[in-house]
Amino acid sequence: HCEEALHALRTEIIERRNKKYLLNEQEVSRRWTFEENIKRPYFHVKPLERAQLRNWRAYLDFEIECGDITRIIILFERCLIACALYEEMWIKYARYVESIGESNRARSVFRRATEVHLPRKPNVHLAYSAFEEKNGNNHSNCDICDIRTGDLFFRSFIHVVKFDDKLKCYHLSADNIDSRCSIHPSTRWQVWFLESNLKKGDDSCQVLCDQR
């Protein structure tokens, strides 16, 4: 009787382990293509290839569709090792955690981006400001928009008007723009746009920012 019970117990344990193994193998196979295409999982100052960025986007979208929050958070953190200098990845991460009701985590993500990795990138600052304004933190909203880009300083006051799910309109007012200042290439077009409107006597201008 004891031998039969022991044999039944062993059989049940093996079956349970086999089920877990097969399930794990299935999940690995679903992600294997994405994992194989990650050629640079570490941080480097050199830009990533477009194929690498497409792979990270597709991988993140896949995990978000699967809906396992733990897996999604881990993948975002992995992604931001290689993509630490890409605003879109930080914004995507912050918006995801905000969408699942974790506003404090979203704020933490924005702070890591704006204070550590991307202190001179305007789009992530604008997204952070819009997030704080949405949550009623208007004082923080103004502080965030003291954007420094090289030797250029300008204060941006933002009013968000939602047109549809993809676009928002930001009204920016600049205290002072000195065209002789050195300007980072990533924001040169924005500064030129503001400066050209200020020369016309228009203290405010509209910049459409893609929210995708």
Side-chain angles (χ1 to χ4, degrees):
H1 180 72
C2 291
E3 288 292 333
E4 291 178 359
L6 185 60
H7 177 72
L9 180 61
R10 286 174 178 171
T11 302
E12 185 178 353
I13 291 172
I14 291 171
E15 286 179 356
R16 288 182 181 180
R17 288 183 177 273
N18 280 336
K19 285 181 180 179
K20 288 185 178 181
Y21 171 78
L22 292 173
L23 180 61
N24 186 58
E25 191 176 52
Q26 182 182 359
E27 293 297 323
V28 168
S29 64
R30 294 175 66 192
R31 293 162 176 80
W32 192 252
T33 302
F34 298 117
E35 292 290 344
E36 274 194 324
N37 288 329
I38 298 174
K39 305 301 181 184
R40 199 177 81 187
Y42 53 87
F43 173 78
H44 201 286
V45 293
K46 290 183 178 180
L48 277 171
E49 297 176 358
R50 291 184 179 180
Q52 290 285 288
L53 290 172
R54 283 197 300 269
N55 183 64
W56 279 115
R57 292 190 200 104
Y59 199 176
L60 288 167
D61 290 340
F62 168 79
E63 285 292 1
I64 290 171
E65 187 177 349
C66 289
D68 189 318
I69 294 175
T70 302
R71 286 183 181 272
I72 295 167
I73 297 296
I74 291 172
L75 184 61
F76 266 116
E77 293 293 342
R78 286 181 59 200
C79 171
L80 288 173
I81 295 172
C83 304
L85 301 181
Y86 290 87
E87 292 175 286
E88 63 170 296
M89 298 304 185
W90 288 99
I91 294 171
K92 187 181 183 75
Y93 186 15
R95 286 180 180 156
Y96 169 73
V97 293
E98 182 188 9
S99 71
I100 60 174
E102 296 194 22
S103 295
N104 288 333
R105 187 192 286 266
R107 183 174 291 107
S108 176
V109 171
F110 275 127
R111 290 189 65 182
R112 284 166 58 194
T114 57
E115 296 177 11
V116 180
H117 298 281
L118 303 170
R120 297 182 180 181
K121 294 287 187 177
N123 290 332
V124 70
H125 284 80
L126 293 174
Y128 186 12
S129 177
F131 166 79
E132 291 293 4
E133 187 175 43
K134 179 181 176 182
N135 286 276
N137 300 323
N138 293 324
H139 180 71
S140 297
N141 170 40
C142 289
D143 290 341
I144 293 163
C145 287
D146 284 329
I147 303 173
R148 176 178 179 177
T149 308
D151 296 326
L152 174 69
F153 292 84
F154 63 92
R155 175 178 290 274
S156 302
F157 299 96
I158 298 178
H159 303 283
V160 181
V161 180
K162 188 169 184 180
F163 290 120
D164 54 35
D165 291 337
K166 294 182 179 179
L167 294 176
K168 287 184 180 178
C169 178
Y170 294 94
H171 298 269
L172 305 179
S173 297
D175 291 336
N176 182 36
I177 292 182
D178 186 353
S179 60
R180 294 171 297 178
C181 292
S182 61
I183 301 170
H184 194 278
S186 65
T187 55
R188 191 180 300 277
W189 70 271
Q190 291 178 318
V191 174
W192 171 84
F193 192 78
L194 285 168
E195 187 177 22
S196 63
N197 279 270
L198 287 172
K199 285 180 179 178
K200 295 176 184 178
D202 184 6
D203 290 334
S204 64
C205 60
Q206 294 182 343
V207 179
L208 290 178
C209 298
D210 193 345
Q211 295 293 300
R212 288 172 295 181

